[in-house]
Amino acid sequence: MIVCRDICKEYRHAGLRKQVLRNVNLTVQRGDRIALLGRNGAGKTTLIKLIGGVEMPTSGRIEHHMSISWPLGFAGGFQGSLTGYDNARFIARIYQREYAAIRDFVEDFTELGSQLRMPVKTYSSGMRARLAFALSLAIEFECYLIDEIILVGDQNFHRKCRVELFEKRADRTMILASHDTGTVRELCNRAVIIDQGQATAYDDVNFAVDSYSAL
Amino acid sequence: MVPGSLRRLQSAWEVQTRVIHALVIRELSTRFGRENIGFLWIMVEPLLFASLVGLLWSLAKGPEEHGISVVAFVATGYIPLTLFRHSVQRSVLVFTTNSSLLYHRQIKIMDFILARFIIEMMGCMMAYLFIGLILIATGFMPVPADIGLFLAGWALYSLFCLSICLVLSPLSEISDVMEKFIPVTTYVMIPFSGAFNMSSWLTPTMREFLMLSPFVNGMEMMRKGIWGIKVTAYYDVWNPIICSAVLIGIGLPLCRRVRKTLAVE
């Protein structure tokens, strides 16, 4: 279970202040697949970063009783100057996993071949997505935080994600930020709309998607 | 209750040592790569500095001063000074440059500071060992008279360098101005580092003043450890310990505060 209590997050820079989230309360049950809906800049990524422990809330608490992946998104998690293999080695080390097993899975899932010997900064966003998914799947988290990135891959990648994540690991919890209402309707069982700093949870995904589309 | 919290402490310790180990390896491979001598480059700079400056000084001042070899004296002064200067330079904006790693929750910002400091310290110790062996073999430096005292001095000197980093790293995130002052400060610091003279060579008032510097205390211990009765050393072990404790007491809460507001891309 993940519980967010009264989370506020504001950013300050050069005297400017932007309050992104205001008193957000959210409870995620084990096995939930939650869609985060909201317009650009509404705070979806911020909420995912807070749940992932990447950034700290300005006030409020986040409690969790399961292992949570790092936010799988366009940025973060990798060292651009290191190769794909080196990043895999680094992640195997800090998550205390067998490197050989992780490497085999990454090679098989990403199909990047010799590209894995190139620095990650030379990768396209689709290639990064493959690597990020491969590593986080190899580590086996109980909850996956997915920030948009599922949309960048090609058909082959989508199919693999579907099999590995939504079929083989159907019991896992998932928090998915997405603008793709089709994916959300199909995959998620709950939805949260973030608008003007407030989060509203809906048990009826179709209803949530409709009201999001009306925003 | 007690065994439970002990076990938690133990597992937290294991996680942190593993993370620091991974960070050190990562930093070494990004900074030095795997070509030619690879990570051995970390000791090249202190080595070059110590030997070339030593050579320069012995040309300018003659081979010996106060009965000890100028080359050896400069080398023993320059290597700790390099540790200080490098670790301070490396600690600037260390959180921002590493922030993409904060995606992994077991990595704490303190690990960034520690990992970089450990690399600098390893480099300097290797350089020290290398140059020390050469100088001992060629007769410029005696076999250390009291290796324990030397190591204690090195440990205190390093501890103080680390505690400075713990304060500077978060300050450099809070204020951009900080960064601009660091090169000139490390330069002005040189007379207070004890690198180029023994306290006993100074006037008593000057000495009393310099003894306030934790660096001088550590440096005197190291030199006494090497030359033994050939030099007179003035030091107080409590000075670096207390100064470090004060800085750590300021630095840790500062790091915590910065982490709370750190924006990660």
Side-chain angles (χ1 to χ4, degrees), chain B residues 24-49:
Chain B
V24 166
I25 292 175
R26 174 190 145 270
E27 179 102 12
L28 287 178
S29 49
T30 45
R31 247 165 76 185
F32 304 106
R34 294 207 178 82
E35 272 97 71
N36 53 63
I37 61 167
F39 81 96
L40 286 178
W41 279 112
I42 46 172
M43 66 174 212
V44 170
E45 207 195 325
L47 209 60
L48 279 179
F49 248 121

Side-chain angles (χ1 to χ4, degrees), chain B residues 123-199:
Chain B
C124 286
M125 283 168 87
M126 280 160 56
Y128 215 136
L129 190 67
F130 193 81
I131 213 166
L133 288 176
I134 290 176
L135 289 175
I136 289 170
T138 51
F140 284 106
M141 198 198 268
V143 174
D146 184 349
I147 193 84
L149 184 64
F150 169 77
L151 288 176
W154 174 263
L156 289 180
Y157 192 100
S158 307
L159 175 69
F160 188 64
C161 287
L162 174 64
S163 51
I164 290 179
C165 295
L166 284 178
V167 176
L168 282 185
S169 303
L171 281 183
S172 68
E173 302 283 342
I174 296 170
S175 148
D176 300 331
V177 186
M178 266 285 309
E179 192 189 345
K180 321 266 184 305
F181 283 100
I182 282 177
V184 63
T185 317
T186 52
Y187 191 79
V188 169
M189 242 288 305
I190 292 176
F192 306 98
S193 69
F196 301 119
N197 43 42
M198 293 294 293
S199 294

Side-chain angles (χ1 to χ4, degrees), chain A residues 83-86 106-107 110 112-118 123 131:
Chain A
T83 66
Y85 281 124
D86 279 339
V106 166
E107 283 171 350
T110 62
L112 287 175
S114 62
Q115 290 272 12
L116 286 169
R117 275 187 221 104
M118 299 279 284
Y123 288 17
L131 185 60

Side-chain angles (χ1 to χ4, degrees), chain B residues 237-263:
Chain B
V237 289
W238 288 105
N239 174 302
I241 293 178
I242 292 169
C243 290
S244 305
V246 169
L247 286 183
I248 293 171
I250 298 168
L252 293 183
L254 267 181
C255 286
R256 230 183 124 83
R257 215 194 99 177
V258 167
R259 175 68 178 105
K260 231 181 135 106
T261 53
L262 195 65

Side-chain angles (χ1 to χ4, degrees), chain A residues 9 49 51-57 64 68 70-71 75-79 81-82 86 90 93-96, chain B residues 18-19 21-23 25-26 29-30 34 98 100-107 259-265:
Chain A
K9 179 68 183 176
K49 277 186 192 164
I51 294 174
V54 178
E55 289 182 3
M56 303 287 151
H64 62 93
I68 304 177
W70 69 90
F78 292 126
Q79 181 75 16
S81 56
L82 291 182
D86 279 339
F90 177 77
R93 259 187 214 115
I94 60 172
Y95 286 93
Q96 212 177 5
Chain B
R18 201 166 62 231
V19 165
H21 175 222
L23 284 174
I25 292 175
R26 174 190 145 270
S29 49
T30 45
R34 294 207 178 82
N98 281 315
S100 73
L101 293 176
L102 289 172
Y103 271 66
H104 307 290
R105 63 173 70 226
Q106 61 274 58
I107 302 181
R259 175 68 178 105
K260 231 181 135 106
T261 53
L262 195 65
V264 179
E265 197 194 318

